[in-house]
Amino acid sequence: DAEITQSPRHKITETGRQVTLACHQTWNHNNMFWYRQDLGHGLRLIHYSYGVQDTNKGEVSDGYSVSRSNTEDLPLTLESAASSQTSVYFCASSESGRTGELFFGEGSRLTVL
Amino acid sequence: GNSVTQMEGPVTLSEEAFLTINCTYTATGYPSLFWYVQYPGEGLQLLLKATKADDKGSNKGFEATYRKETTSFHLEKGSVQVSDSAVYFCALKSSGDKLTFGTGTRLAVRP
């Protein structure tokens, strides 16, 4: 069965360290997204990609970067982790041009101390 | 810009009670509307959707009707179960393939 997997599921890091969260999907979807989930804010879009070599900023992109070198993967990098980036991160994918169903991973809980 | 407003939770109900979770939206053009559900410890999954005005989405006993005149997409279920306890997110898709989500409403159902 096709799926979308995130790793690590849980990570604790220190302020200032670089952190990369992995996202891998086997749906062969062109679209991939990174959201963060925080109490009181719901899901907020960080970055997204509509295909290989395409990346775009979302509403809360400061301090984050992504790269898309193949269809399956969209890693999210925190260049210098800050305590404000403590959150649960969700990766999602979807087919281009469909009515918008996103398929979500199980989330990565990041704690920045 | 696009935005989604949901009623604040938590919503606590007894089993077999009627559920309504309100959702209103602001968007340009003619958005598609969605309800996603998140069970404890899991990612979100699509519950139902509607792509044009007056469409009714339904799944697992849940329903929502796309009301363009009131810019609303309220989620309803006639008789909730303990297994429906989760966080429910309303979302919209306007231009492009991005979704804009509401803040989520936590539902707790007591036996």
Side-chain angles (χ1 to χ4, degrees), chain A residues 13-113:
Chain A
T13 191
E14 295 178 342
T15 302
R17 290 192 180 268
Q18 183 180 79
V19 176
T20 296
L21 305 179
C23 175
H24 180 81
Q25 53 100 1
T26 59
W27 293 98
N28 200 35
H29 286 160
N30 283 329
N31 303 334
M32 295 185 73
F33 307 86
W34 274 104
Y35 288 88
R36 59 177 288 175
Q37 183 179 24
D38 304 286
L39 200 62
H41 292 280
L43 273 77
R44 292 180 291 176
L45 184 62
I46 305 171
H47 281 287
Y48 60 101
S49 168
Y50 287 153
V52 176
Q53 303 300 332
D54 175 74
T55 61
N56 305 279
K57 294 182 179 181
E59 62 179 300
V60 290
S61 60
D62 287 349
Y64 303 94
S65 63
V66 294
S67 61
R68 186 91 181 268
S69 58
N70 58 52
T71 299
E72 296 81 16
D73 299 290
L74 187 71
L76 177 71
T77 297
L78 288 68
E79 300 294 344
S80 177
S83 57
S84 60
Q85 294 176 309
T86 293
S87 186
V88 180
Y89 292 86
F90 286 97
C91 181
S93 70
S94 70
E95 286 187 46
S96 298
R98 292 294 298 270
T99 54
E101 179 174 2
L102 296 185
F103 294 81
F104 281 84
E106 293 186 325
S108 296
R109 180 176 295 276
L110 175 67
T111 301
V112 183
L113 301 176

Side-chain angles (χ1 to χ4, degrees), chain B:
Chain B
N2 297 335
S3 67
V4 176
T5 302
Q6 291 182 235
M7 61 187 290
E8 290 194 18
V11 174
T12 303
L13 296 173
S14 297
E15 207 164 24
E16 299 183 3
F18 185 86
L19 168 71
T20 300
I21 300 178
N22 290 337
C23 171
T24 57
Y25 67 89
T26 302
T28 55
Y30 302 94
S32 297
L33 301 173
F34 307 84
W35 278 101
Y36 279 79
V37 59
Q38 183 182 31
Y39 298 105
E42 299 183 8
L44 281 71
Q45 55 186 276
L46 180 66
L47 180 59
L48 54 85
K49 66 184 179 186
T51 57
K52 61 183 187 298
D54 299 325
D55 269 2
K56 177 185 285 187
S58 61
N59 187 25
K60 300 181 181 179
F62 292 89
E63 294 182 339
T65 301
Y66 188 162
R67 301 286 188 201
K68 191 171 186 298
E69 64 276 13
T70 55
T71 61
S72 65
F73 193 56
H74 305 321
L75 182 68
E76 296 181 336
K77 187 175 185 183
S79 175
V80 294
Q81 305 300 312
V82 171
S83 58
D84 293 326
S85 298
V87 181
Y88 292 83
F89 291 89
C90 186
L92 71 83
K93 173 180 174 295
S94 184
S95 59
D97 288 334
K98 299 176 295 176
L99 263 64
T100 299
F101 287 88
T103 54
T105 302
R106 182 175 299 277
L107 170 65
V109 181
R110 298 185 301 241

